Amino acid sequence: MLELVQAGGWLMLPLLLCSIASVAICGERFWTLRADRVAPKHLLSDVWMLIKNNQMSGLRLREIRHSSPLGAILAAGLVNSRYGRDITKESIEEAASHVVHDMQRFLSTLGSIASIAPLIGLLGTVVGMIEVFTTIMTEGSGDVGKLAGGISKALITTAAGLSVAIPTLFFHRFLLRRVDELVVNMEQESIKLVEVLHGDRSVETQRDAEPA
């Protein structure tokens, strides 16, 4: 492995850094975007029970806000619920925009790595081929083995760039899809909160209405 890195030249260094950044971002996002952390399954039911039992206090509200991204959205709606349905929905949408922005953190960087890595690899190949043709001009093309070795080394960076870009692109799309799924889930929970706060339905009624 070390021999391949050395053979690829100095452009292997940014590719190596890109691969390290990609692995770090994927690991951090997989940990952060866990469904049970972003949108706990029974959070809305717990919130409704607190409201129903008249146990919702400032301390409870802070705990809900800091418990999860969904909790931050629900807390924003609860704080502004006394101002009516429209204000409640606006506050929920504003809080949701901040939550979604945080959930998408580093994903643009991951996409950039997927786009840049093949270009760096191609640049390394072009530089290597220039060196090969320069050698041909100065020393001739008599040593076919030497030329083949030079071309092989020149192609190492392209292979390395694709090796970094392909899995990075896959995980970038996968994580974007996960964010979309979590956002839809939080949107549904937020709609239920608005309904139970300003409608005539309870969480139990909402749950019974859901398809099995």
Coordinates of all heavy atoms in Angstrom, one line a residue, residues 35-132:
A35 N -32.1 7.1 13.9 CA -33.5 7.4 14.0 C -33.9 7.6 15.5 O -34.7 8.5 15.8 CB -34.3 6.3 13.4
D36 N -33.4 6.7 16.4 CA -33.8 6.9 17.8 C -33.2 8.1 18.4 O -33.7 8.5 19.5 CB -33.4 5.6 18.5 CG -31.9 5.4 18.5 OD1 -31.2 5.9 17.6 OD2 -31.3 4.6 19.3
R37 N -32.2 8.7 17.8 CA -31.6 9.9 18.4 C -32.3 11.1 17.8 O -32.6 12.1 18.5 CB -30.1 10.0 18.1 CG -29.5 11.3 18.6 CD -28.1 11.4 18.1 NE -27.5 12.7 18.5 CZ -27.7 13.9 17.9 NH1 -28.5 13.9 16.8 NH2 -27.2 15.0 18.4
V38 N -32.6 11.1 16.5 CA -33.2 12.3 15.8 C -34.7 12.4 16.2 O -35.2 13.5 16.5 CB -33.0 12.2 14.3 CG1 -33.7 13.3 13.6 CG2 -31.5 12.2 14.0
A39 N -35.4 11.3 16.1 CA -36.9 11.4 16.3 C -37.3 10.2 17.1 O -37.8 9.1 16.6 CB -37.6 11.3 14.9
P40 N -37.1 10.3 18.4 CA -37.5 9.2 19.3 C -39.0 8.8 19.1 O -39.9 9.6 18.9 CB -37.3 9.7 20.7 CG -36.3 10.8 20.5 CD -36.5 11.4 19.2
K41 N -39.3 7.5 19.1 CA -40.6 7.0 18.6 C -41.7 7.5 19.5 O -42.8 7.8 19.0 CB -40.5 5.5 18.6 CG -41.7 4.8 17.9 CD -41.5 3.3 17.8 CE -42.6 2.7 17.0 NZ -42.4 1.2 16.9
H42 N -41.5 7.5 20.8 CA -42.6 7.8 21.7 C -42.5 9.2 22.3 O -43.2 9.5 23.3 CB -42.6 6.8 22.9 CG -42.8 5.3 22.4 ND1 -43.9 4.9 21.8 CD2 -41.9 4.3 22.4 CE1 -43.8 3.6 21.5 NE2 -42.5 3.2 21.9
L43 N -41.8 10.1 21.7 CA -41.6 11.4 22.2 C -42.9 12.2 22.2 O -43.3 12.8 23.2 CB -40.6 12.2 21.5 CG -40.3 13.6 21.9 CD1 -39.9 13.7 23.4 CD2 -39.3 14.3 21.0
L44 N -43.7 12.1 21.1 CA -44.9 12.9 21.0 C -45.9 12.4 22.1 O -46.6 13.2 22.7 CB -45.5 12.8 19.6 CG -46.8 13.5 19.4 CD1 -46.6 15.0 19.7 CD2 -47.3 13.3 18.0
S45 N -46.0 11.1 22.3 CA -46.9 10.5 23.3 C -46.5 11.0 24.7 O -47.4 11.3 25.5 CB -46.9 9.0 23.2 OG -47.3 8.5 21.9
D46 N -45.2 11.0 24.9 CA -44.8 11.5 26.3 C -45.1 13.0 26.5 O -45.6 13.4 27.5 CB -43.3 11.3 26.4 CG -42.9 9.8 26.4 OD1 -43.8 9.0 26.7 OD2 -41.7 9.5 26.1
V47 N -45.0 13.8 25.4 CA -45.3 15.2 25.5 C -46.8 15.4 25.7 O -47.2 16.2 26.6 CB -44.9 15.9 24.2 CG1 -45.5 17.3 24.1 CG2 -43.4 16.0 24.1
W48 N -47.6 14.6 25.0 CA -49.1 14.7 25.2 C -49.5 14.3 26.6 O -50.4 14.9 27.2 CB -49.8 13.8 24.1 CG -51.3 13.7 24.3 CD1 -52.0 12.6 24.6 CD2 -52.2 14.8 24.3 NE1 -53.3 13.0 24.7 CE2 -53.5 14.3 24.5 CE3 -52.0 16.2 24.1 CZ2 -54.6 15.1 24.6 CZ3 -53.2 17.0 24.1 CH2 -54.4 16.4 24.4
M49 N -48.9 13.3 27.2 CA -49.2 12.9 28.5 C -48.9 14.0 29.5 O -49.6 14.2 30.5 CB -48.5 11.6 28.9 CG -49.0 10.4 28.1 SD -50.7 10.0 28.4 CE -50.8 9.8 30.2
L50 N -47.8 14.7 29.3 CA -47.4 15.8 30.2 C -48.4 16.9 30.1 O -48.8 17.5 31.1 CB -46.0 16.3 29.8 CG -44.8 15.4 30.1 CD1 -43.5 16.0 29.6 CD2 -44.7 15.2 31.7
I51 N -48.9 17.2 28.9 CA -49.9 18.2 28.7 C -51.2 17.8 29.3 O -51.9 18.6 30.0 CB -50.0 18.5 27.2 CG1 -48.7 19.1 26.6 CG2 -51.2 19.5 26.9 CD1 -48.8 19.3 25.1
K52 N -51.6 16.6 29.0 CA -52.9 16.1 29.5 C -52.9 16.1 31.0 O -54.0 16.3 31.6 CB -53.1 14.6 29.0 CG -54.4 14.1 29.1 CD -54.5 12.7 28.5 CE -55.9 12.1 28.6 NZ -56.0 10.8 27.9
N53 N -51.8 15.8 31.7 CA -51.7 15.7 33.1 C -51.3 17.0 33.8 O -51.1 17.1 35.0 CB -50.8 14.6 33.6 CG -51.2 13.2 33.1 OD1 -52.4 12.9 33.1 ND2 -50.3 12.3 32.8
N54 N -51.3 18.1 32.9 CA -50.9 19.4 33.4 C -49.5 19.4 34.1 O -49.4 20.0 35.1 CB -52.0 19.9 34.3 CG -51.9 21.4 34.5 OD1 -51.4 22.2 33.6 ND2 -52.4 22.0 35.6
Q55 N -48.6 18.7 33.5 CA -47.3 18.6 34.1 C -46.2 19.3 33.3 O -45.0 19.1 33.5 CB -46.9 17.1 34.3 CG -47.8 16.4 35.3 CD -47.4 14.9 35.4 OE1 -46.8 14.3 34.5 NE2 -47.8 14.3 36.5
M56 N -46.6 20.0 32.2 CA -45.7 20.7 31.4 C -45.2 21.9 32.0 O -45.9 22.9 32.3 CB -46.3 21.0 30.0 CG -45.3 21.6 29.0 SD -44.0 20.5 28.6 CE -44.8 19.2 27.7
S57 N -43.9 21.9 32.4 CA -43.3 23.1 33.1 C -42.1 23.6 32.2 O -41.7 23.0 31.2 CB -42.8 22.7 34.4 OG -41.8 21.7 34.3
G58 N -41.5 24.7 32.7 CA -40.4 25.2 31.9 C -39.2 24.3 31.9 O -38.5 24.1 30.9
L59 N -39.0 23.5 33.0 CA -37.9 22.6 33.1 C -38.2 21.4 32.1 O -37.3 21.0 31.4 CB -37.8 22.0 34.5 CG -36.7 21.0 34.7 CD1 -35.3 21.5 34.4 CD2 -36.8 20.5 36.2
R60 N -39.4 20.9 32.1 CA -39.8 19.8 31.2 C -39.6 20.3 29.8 O -39.1 19.5 28.9 CB -41.2 19.4 31.4 CG -41.5 18.8 32.8 CD -41.1 17.3 32.8 NE -41.6 16.7 34.0 CZ -41.5 15.4 34.2 NH1 -40.8 14.6 33.4 NH2 -42.0 14.9 35.3
L61 N -40.0 21.5 29.5 CA -39.8 22.0 28.1 C -38.4 22.1 27.7 O -38.1 21.7 26.5 CB -40.5 23.4 28.1 CG -40.9 23.9 26.7 CD1 -41.9 23.0 26.0 CD2 -41.5 25.3 26.8
R62 N -37.5 22.5 28.6 CA -36.1 22.5 28.2 C -35.5 21.1 28.0 O -34.7 20.9 27.1 CB -35.3 23.2 29.4 CG -35.4 24.8 29.4 CD -34.4 25.4 30.2 NE -34.6 25.1 31.6 CZ -35.4 25.7 32.5 NH1 -36.1 26.8 32.1 NH2 -35.5 25.3 33.7
E63 N -36.0 20.2 28.8 CA -35.5 18.8 28.6 C -36.0 18.3 27.3 O -35.2 17.6 26.6 CB -36.1 17.9 29.8 CG -35.5 18.2 31.1 CD -36.2 17.4 32.2 OE1 -37.2 16.7 31.9 OE2 -35.7 17.4 33.4
I64 N -37.2 18.6 26.9 CA -37.7 18.1 25.6 C -36.9 18.8 24.5 O -36.5 18.1 23.5 CB -39.2 18.5 25.4 CG1 -40.0 17.7 26.4 CG2 -39.7 18.2 24.0 CD1 -41.5 18.1 26.5
R65 N -36.6 20.1 24.6 CA -35.9 20.8 23.6 C -34.5 20.2 23.3 O -34.0 20.2 22.2 CB -35.8 22.3 23.9 CG -35.0 23.1 22.9 CD -34.9 24.6 23.3 NE -36.2 25.3 23.3 CZ -36.9 25.7 24.3 NH1 -36.3 25.5 25.5 NH2 -38.0 26.3 24.2
H66 N -33.8 19.8 24.4 CA -32.5 19.4 24.3 C -32.4 17.9 24.1 O -31.3 17.3 24.0 CB -31.7 19.8 25.5 CG -31.5 21.3 25.6 ND1 -30.8 22.1 24.7 CD2 -32.0 22.2 26.6 CE1 -30.9 23.3 25.1 NE2 -31.6 23.4 26.2
S67 N -33.5 17.2 24.1 CA -33.5 15.7 24.1 C -33.1 15.2 22.7 O -32.5 14.2 22.6 CB -34.8 15.1 24.6 OG -35.8 15.5 23.6
S68 N -33.6 15.9 21.7 CA -33.4 15.4 20.3 C -33.8 16.5 19.3 O -34.4 17.5 19.7 CB -34.3 14.2 20.0 OG -35.7 14.5 20.2
P69 N -33.4 16.4 18.0 CA -33.9 17.4 17.0 C -35.4 17.5 17.0 O -36.0 18.6 16.9 CB -33.3 16.8 15.7 CG -32.1 16.1 16.2 CD -32.4 15.5 17.5
L70 N -36.1 16.3 17.0 CA -37.6 16.4 17.0 C -38.1 17.1 18.3 O -39.0 17.9 18.2 CB -38.2 14.9 17.0 CG -39.7 14.8 17.1 CD1 -40.4 15.6 16.0 CD2 -40.1 13.4 17.1
G71 N -37.4 16.9 19.4 CA -37.8 17.6 20.6 C -37.7 19.1 20.5 O -38.5 19.8 21.0
A72 N -36.6 19.5 19.8 CA -36.5 21.0 19.6 C -37.6 21.6 18.7 O -38.1 22.7 19.0 CB -35.1 21.3 18.8
I73 N -38.1 20.8 17.7 CA -39.2 21.2 16.9 C -40.5 21.3 17.7 O -41.3 22.2 17.7 CB -39.4 20.3 15.7 CG1 -38.1 20.4 14.8 CG2 -40.6 20.6 14.9 CD1 -38.1 19.4 13.6
L74 N -40.8 20.2 18.5 CA -42.0 20.1 19.3 C -42.0 21.2 20.4 O -43.0 21.8 20.6 CB -42.1 18.8 19.9 CG -42.2 17.6 19.0 CD1 -42.5 16.3 19.8 CD2 -43.4 17.8 18.0
A75 N -40.8 21.5 21.0 CA -40.7 22.5 22.0 C -41.1 23.9 21.4 O -41.7 24.7 22.1 CB -39.4 22.5 22.6
A76 N -40.6 24.1 20.2 CA -40.9 25.4 19.6 C -42.4 25.6 19.4 O -43.0 26.7 19.6 CB -40.2 25.5 18.2
G77 N -43.1 24.5 19.0 CA -44.5 24.6 18.8 C -45.2 24.7 20.2 O -46.2 25.5 20.2
L78 N -44.8 24.1 21.2 CA -45.4 24.2 22.5 C -45.3 25.6 23.1 O -46.2 26.1 23.7 CB -44.8 23.2 23.5 CG -45.1 21.7 23.2 CD1 -44.2 20.8 24.0 CD2 -46.5 21.4 23.4
V79 N -44.1 26.2 22.9 CA -43.9 27.5 23.5 C -44.8 28.5 22.8 O -45.3 29.5 23.5 CB -42.4 28.0 23.2 CG1 -42.2 29.4 23.5 CG2 -41.5 27.1 24.1
N80 N -45.1 28.4 21.6 CA -46.0 29.4 20.8 C -47.4 28.9 20.6 O -48.1 29.5 19.9 CB -45.3 29.7 19.5 CG -44.0 30.3 19.6 OD1 -43.9 31.5 19.8 ND2 -42.9 29.6 19.5
S81 N -47.8 27.8 21.3 CA -49.1 27.2 21.1 C -50.2 28.2 21.5 O -51.3 28.2 20.9 CB -49.2 25.9 21.8 OG -49.1 26.1 23.2
R82 N -50.0 29.0 22.5 CA -51.0 29.9 23.0 C -51.3 31.1 22.0 O -52.3 31.8 22.2 CB -50.6 30.5 24.3 CG -49.4 31.4 24.3 CD -49.0 31.8 25.7 NE -47.9 32.7 25.8 CZ -46.6 32.2 25.9 NH1 -46.4 30.9 25.9 NH2 -45.6 33.0 26.0
Y83 N -50.5 31.2 21.0 CA -50.7 32.3 20.0 C -51.6 31.9 18.8 O -51.8 32.6 17.9 CB -49.4 32.9 19.5 CG -48.6 33.4 20.6 CD1 -47.3 32.9 20.9 CD2 -49.0 34.5 21.3 CE1 -46.5 33.4 21.9 CE2 -48.2 35.1 22.4 CZ -47.0 34.5 22.7 OH -46.2 35.0 23.7
G84 N -52.0 30.6 18.8 CA -52.9 30.2 17.7 C -52.2 29.2 16.8 O -51.0 29.0 16.8
R85 N -53.0 28.6 15.9 CA -52.5 27.5 15.0 C -51.5 28.0 14.1 O -50.4 27.4 13.9 CB -53.7 26.9 14.2 CG -53.3 25.9 13.2 CD -54.5 25.5 12.4 NE -55.5 24.8 13.2 CZ -55.5 23.4 13.3 NH1 -54.6 22.7 12.6 NH2 -56.5 22.9 14.0
D86 N -51.7 29.2 13.4 CA -50.8 29.7 12.4 C -49.4 30.0 13.0 O -48.4 29.7 12.4 CB -51.3 31.0 11.8 CG -52.6 30.7 10.9 OD1 -52.7 29.5 10.5 OD2 -53.4 31.6 10.7
I87 N -49.4 30.7 14.2 CA -48.1 31.0 14.8 C -47.4 29.7 15.3 O -46.1 29.6 15.1 CB -48.3 31.9 16.0 CG1 -49.0 33.2 15.6 CG2 -47.0 32.2 16.7 CD1 -48.1 34.0 14.6
T88 N -48.2 28.8 15.7 CA -47.6 27.5 16.1 C -46.9 26.8 14.9 O -45.7 26.3 15.0 CB -48.6 26.5 16.7 OG1 -49.3 27.2 17.8 CG2 -48.0 25.2 17.2
K89 N -47.6 26.8 13.8 CA -47.0 26.2 12.6 C -45.8 26.9 12.1 O -44.8 26.3 11.7 CB -48.1 26.1 11.5 CG -49.2 25.1 11.8 CD -50.2 25.2 10.7 CE -49.7 24.6 9.4 NZ -50.8 24.5 8.3
E90 N -45.8 28.2 12.2 CA -44.7 29.0 11.7 C -43.4 28.8 12.6 O -42.3 28.7 12.1 CB -45.0 30.5 11.8 CG -46.0 30.9 10.6 CD -46.3 32.4 10.7 OE1 -45.7 33.1 11.6 OE2 -47.2 32.9 10.0
S91 N -43.7 28.7 13.9 CA -42.6 28.4 14.8 C -42.0 27.1 14.6 O -40.8 26.9 14.7 CB -43.0 28.6 16.3 OG -44.0 27.7 16.6
I92 N -42.9 26.1 14.4 CA -42.4 24.7 14.1 C -41.6 24.7 12.8 O -40.5 24.1 12.7 CB -43.6 23.8 14.0 CG1 -44.1 23.5 15.4 CG2 -43.2 22.5 13.3 CD1 -45.4 22.6 15.4
E93 N -42.0 25.4 11.8 CA -41.3 25.4 10.5 C -40.0 26.1 10.6 O -39.0 25.6 10.0 CB -42.2 26.1 9.4 CG -43.4 25.4 9.0 CD -44.3 26.2 8.1 OE1 -44.0 27.4 7.9 OE2 -45.3 25.7 7.7
E94 N -39.9 27.2 11.4 CA -38.6 27.8 11.6 C -37.6 27.0 12.4 O -36.5 26.9 12.0 CB -38.9 29.1 12.4 CG -37.6 30.0 12.6 CD -37.9 31.3 13.4 OE1 -39.0 31.6 13.6 OE2 -36.9 31.9 13.7
A95 N -38.1 26.3 13.4 CA -37.3 25.4 14.2 C -36.8 24.2 13.3 O -35.7 23.8 13.4 CB -38.0 24.9 15.4
A96 N -37.7 23.7 12.5 CA -37.4 22.6 11.6 C -36.3 23.0 10.6 O -35.5 22.1 10.2 CB -38.7 22.1 10.8
S97 N -36.4 24.2 10.1 CA -35.3 24.6 9.1 C -33.9 24.6 9.7 O -33.0 24.2 9.1 CB -35.6 26.0 8.6 OG -35.5 27.0 9.6
H98 N -33.8 25.0 11.0 CA -32.5 24.9 11.7 C -32.1 23.5 11.9 O -31.0 23.1 11.8 CB -32.6 25.7 13.0 CG -32.8 27.1 12.9 ND1 -31.8 28.0 12.4 CD2 -33.8 28.0 13.2 CE1 -32.2 29.2 12.4 NE2 -33.4 29.2 12.8
V99 N -33.1 22.6 12.3 CA -32.8 21.2 12.6 C -32.3 20.5 11.3 O -31.3 19.8 11.3 CB -34.0 20.5 13.1 CG1 -33.9 19.0 13.1 CG2 -34.3 21.0 14.6
V100 N -33.0 20.8 10.2 CA -32.6 20.1 8.9 C -31.3 20.6 8.5 O -30.4 19.8 8.0 CB -33.7 20.4 7.8 CG1 -33.2 20.0 6.5 CG2 -35.0 19.8 8.2
H101 N -31.0 21.9 8.7 CA -29.6 22.4 8.3 C -28.6 21.7 9.1 O -27.5 21.3 8.6 CB -29.6 23.9 8.6 CG -28.3 24.6 8.3 ND1 -27.3 24.7 9.2 CD2 -27.8 25.1 7.1 CE1 -26.2 25.3 8.7 NE2 -26.5 25.5 7.4
D102 N -28.8 21.4 10.4 CA -27.8 20.7 11.2 C -27.7 19.3 10.8 O -26.6 18.7 10.8 CB -28.2 20.8 12.7 CG -28.1 22.2 13.3 OD1 -27.3 23.0 12.7 OD2 -28.7 22.5 14.3
M103 N -28.8 18.7 10.4 CA -28.8 17.3 9.9 C -28.0 17.1 8.6 O -27.4 16.1 8.4 CB -30.2 16.8 9.7 CG -31.0 16.6 11.0 SD -32.7 16.2 10.8 CE -32.6 14.7 9.9
Q104 N -28.0 18.2 7.8 CA -27.2 18.1 6.5 C -25.8 18.6 6.7 O -25.1 18.7 5.6 CB -28.0 19.0 5.5 CG -29.3 18.4 5.1 CD -30.1 19.3 4.1 OE1 -29.8 20.5 4.0 NE2 -31.0 18.8 3.4
R105 N -25.4 18.8 7.9 CA -24.0 19.3 8.1 C -23.0 18.3 7.5 O -23.1 17.1 7.7 CB -23.7 19.5 9.6 CG -22.4 20.1 9.9 CD -22.2 20.2 11.4 NE -23.2 21.1 12.0 CZ -23.5 21.2 13.3 NH1 -22.7 20.5 14.2 NH2 -24.4 22.0 13.7
F106 N -22.0 18.8 6.8 CA -20.9 18.0 6.3 C -21.3 17.2 5.0 O -20.4 16.7 4.3 CB -20.2 17.1 7.3 CG -19.7 17.7 8.5 CD1 -20.1 17.2 9.8 CD2 -18.9 18.9 8.5 CE1 -19.7 17.8 10.9 CE2 -18.5 19.5 9.6 CZ -18.9 18.9 10.9
L107 N -22.6 17.2 4.7 CA -22.9 16.4 3.5 C -22.5 17.0 2.2 O -22.2 16.4 1.2 CB -24.5 16.1 3.5 CG -25.0 15.2 4.6 CD1 -26.4 14.9 4.4 CD2 -24.2 13.9 4.7
S108 N -22.5 18.4 2.2 CA -22.0 19.1 1.0 C -20.5 18.8 0.8 O -20.0 18.7 -0.3 CB -22.3 20.6 1.1 OG -21.7 21.1 2.3
T109 N -19.8 18.8 2.0 CA -18.4 18.5 1.9 C -18.2 17.1 1.4 O -17.3 16.8 0.5 CB -17.7 18.6 3.3 OG1 -18.0 19.9 3.8 CG2 -16.3 18.3 3.2
L110 N -19.0 16.1 1.8 CA -18.9 14.8 1.3 C -19.2 14.7 -0.2 O -18.5 14.0 -1.0 CB -19.9 13.9 2.0 CG -19.7 12.4 2.0 CD1 -18.4 12.1 2.8 CD2 -20.8 11.6 2.7
G111 N -20.2 15.5 -0.7 CA -20.4 15.5 -2.1 C -19.3 16.2 -2.9 O -19.0 15.7 -4.0
S112 N -18.6 17.2 -2.3 CA -17.5 17.8 -2.9 C -16.3 16.8 -3.1 O -15.6 16.8 -4.1 CB -17.1 19.0 -2.1 OG -18.1 20.0 -2.1
I113 N -16.1 16.0 -2.0 CA -15.0 15.0 -2.1 C -15.3 14.0 -3.2 O -14.4 13.7 -4.0 CB -14.9 14.3 -0.8 CG1 -14.4 15.3 0.3 CG2 -14.0 13.1 -0.9 CD1 -14.3 14.7 1.7
A114 N -16.6 13.6 -3.4 CA -16.9 12.7 -4.4 C -16.7 13.3 -5.8 O -16.4 12.5 -6.8 CB -18.4 12.2 -4.3
S115 N -16.8 14.6 -5.9 CA -16.6 15.2 -7.2 C -15.1 15.5 -7.5 O -14.7 15.5 -8.6 CB -17.4 16.5 -7.3 OG -18.8 16.3 -7.1
I116 N -14.4 15.9 -6.4 CA -13.0 16.3 -6.6 C -12.0 15.2 -6.8 O -11.1 15.3 -7.5 CB -12.6 17.3 -5.4 CG1 -13.4 18.6 -5.5 CG2 -11.1 17.5 -5.4 CD1 -13.2 19.4 -4.3
A117 N -12.3 14.1 -6.0 CA -11.3 13.0 -6.0 C -11.0 12.4 -7.4 O -9.8 12.3 -7.7 CB -11.8 11.9 -5.1
P118 N -11.9 12.2 -8.3 CA -11.6 11.7 -9.6 C -10.8 12.8 -10.4 O -9.9 12.4 -11.2 CB -12.9 11.5 -10.3 CG -13.9 11.4 -9.2 CD -13.4 12.3 -8.1
L119 N -11.1 14.0 -10.2 CA -10.3 15.1 -10.9 C -8.9 15.1 -10.4 O -8.0 15.3 -11.3 CB -11.0 16.4 -10.7 CG -12.4 16.6 -11.2 CD1 -13.0 17.9 -10.9 CD2 -12.5 16.3 -12.7
I120 N -8.7 15.0 -9.1 CA -7.3 14.9 -8.6 C -6.6 13.7 -9.2 O -5.4 13.8 -9.6 CB -7.3 14.9 -7.1 CG1 -7.9 16.1 -6.5 CG2 -5.8 14.7 -6.6 CD1 -8.0 16.1 -5.0
G121 N -7.3 12.6 -9.3 CA -6.7 11.4 -9.8 C -6.3 11.6 -11.3 O -5.3 11.2 -11.8
L122 N -7.2 12.2 -12.1 CA -7.0 12.5 -13.5 C -5.8 13.4 -13.6 O -5.0 13.3 -14.5 CB -8.2 13.1 -14.1 CG -8.1 13.4 -15.6 CD1 -7.8 12.1 -16.4 CD2 -9.4 14.0 -16.1
L123 N -5.7 14.4 -12.8 CA -4.6 15.4 -12.8 C -3.3 14.6 -12.6 O -2.3 14.9 -13.3 CB -4.7 16.5 -11.8 CG -3.6 17.5 -11.7 CD1 -3.4 18.2 -13.0 CD2 -3.9 18.5 -10.5
G124 N -3.3 13.7 -11.6 CA -2.1 12.9 -11.4 C -1.7 12.1 -12.6 O -0.5 12.0 -12.9
T125 N -2.7 11.5 -13.3 CA -2.4 10.8 -14.5 C -1.8 11.6 -15.6 O -0.9 11.2 -16.3 CB -3.6 10.0 -15.0 OG1 -4.1 9.1 -14.0 CG2 -3.4 9.3 -16.3
V126 N -2.4 12.8 -15.8 CA -1.9 13.7 -16.8 C -0.5 14.1 -16.5 O 0.4 14.1 -17.4 CB -2.8 15.0 -16.9 CG1 -2.2 16.0 -17.8 CG2 -4.2 14.6 -17.4
V127 N -0.2 14.5 -15.3 CA 1.2 14.9 -14.9 C 2.1 13.7 -15.1 O 3.3 13.9 -15.7 CB 1.2 15.3 -13.4 CG1 2.7 15.5 -13.0 CG2 0.5 16.6 -13.2
G128 N 1.7 12.5 -14.8 CA 2.5 11.3 -15.0 C 2.8 11.0 -16.5 O 3.9 10.7 -16.9
M129 N 1.8 11.2 -17.3 CA 1.9 11.0 -18.7 C 2.9 12.1 -19.3 O 3.7 11.8 -20.3 CB 0.6 11.0 -19.4 CG -0.3 9.9 -19.1 SD 0.4 8.3 -19.5 CE 0.4 8.3 -21.2
I130 N 2.8 13.3 -18.8 CA 3.7 14.3 -19.3 C 5.2 13.9 -19.0 O 6.1 14.1 -19.9 CB 3.4 15.7 -18.6 CG1 2.1 16.2 -19.2 CG2 4.5 16.7 -18.9 CD1 1.6 17.4 -18.5
E131 N 5.4 13.4 -17.8 CA 6.7 12.9 -17.4 C 7.2 11.8 -18.4 O 8.3 11.7 -18.8 CB 6.7 12.5 -16.0 CG 6.5 13.6 -15.0 CD 6.5 13.1 -13.6 OE1 6.5 11.9 -13.4 OE2 6.4 14.0 -12.7
V132 N 6.2 10.9 -18.7 CA 6.6 9.7 -19.6 C 7.0 10.2 -20.9 O 8.0 9.8 -21.5 CB 5.4 8.8 -19.7 CG1 5.6 7.7 -20.8 CG2 5.2 8.0 -18.4

